[in-house]
Amino acid sequence: MRLVLGAHHCDNANLRRQTSPHPRFMLRPIESRDYPALAHLLADPTTMGPFWDVMDEVEVRLWIASSQSLHREYGLGEFAVIDRAHRRLIDDIGV
């Protein structure tokens, strides 16, 4: 199941400080250490089916690198959705 957060106003500065308007979730830029969780998420046909094609290991690594490049260049891109209570990645979201 993909998590859909309600739309809230967040400027780049807030996102760069790893903050989020939601008390249960935090947004932060995708990092290389997110690979295991993202590989599981992005390779699942049930999760990805309604949105995108599933990704293999190489595609996930390229997607992470692309996201990191977008953050360096523009300060925007894919963000990890982190469950604050368990401190683990549960989804991603593009901003």
Side-chain angles (χ1 to χ4, degrees):
M1 172 186 296
R2 300 275 294 186
L3 172 71
V4 178
L5 295 175
H8 296 280
H9 173 72
C10 277
D11 61 24
N12 284 355
N14 279 340
L15 292 173
R16 286 190 182 134
R17 284 194 303 268
Q18 301 182 15
T19 61
S20 169
H22 198 285
R24 290 179 48 204
F25 307 105
M26 174 180 80
L27 302 180
R28 65 159 170 74
I30 296 288
E31 300 173 356
S32 296
R33 68 183 169 137
D34 296 324
Y35 172 78
L38 287 171
H40 177 75
L41 188 72
L42 299 174
D44 180 7
T46 303
T47 301
M48 296 301 290
F51 304 99
W52 316 103
D53 292 331
V54 296
M55 294 186 194
D56 63 22
E57 179 180 328
V58 172
E59 290 170 321
V60 173
R61 292 190 188 280
L62 289 171
W63 183 82
I64 290 171
S66 173
S67 180
Q68 291 172 324
S69 176
L70 288 169
H71 280 285
R72 280 191 301 274
E73 191 167 346
Y74 302 107
L76 296 173
E78 295 294 322
F79 285 81
V81 179
I82 306 297
D83 179 322
R84 290 181 190 269
H86 299 101
R87 297 184 180 264
R88 66 181 181 95
L89 184 144
I90 58 168
D91 207 345
D92 68 273
I93 186 170
V95 178

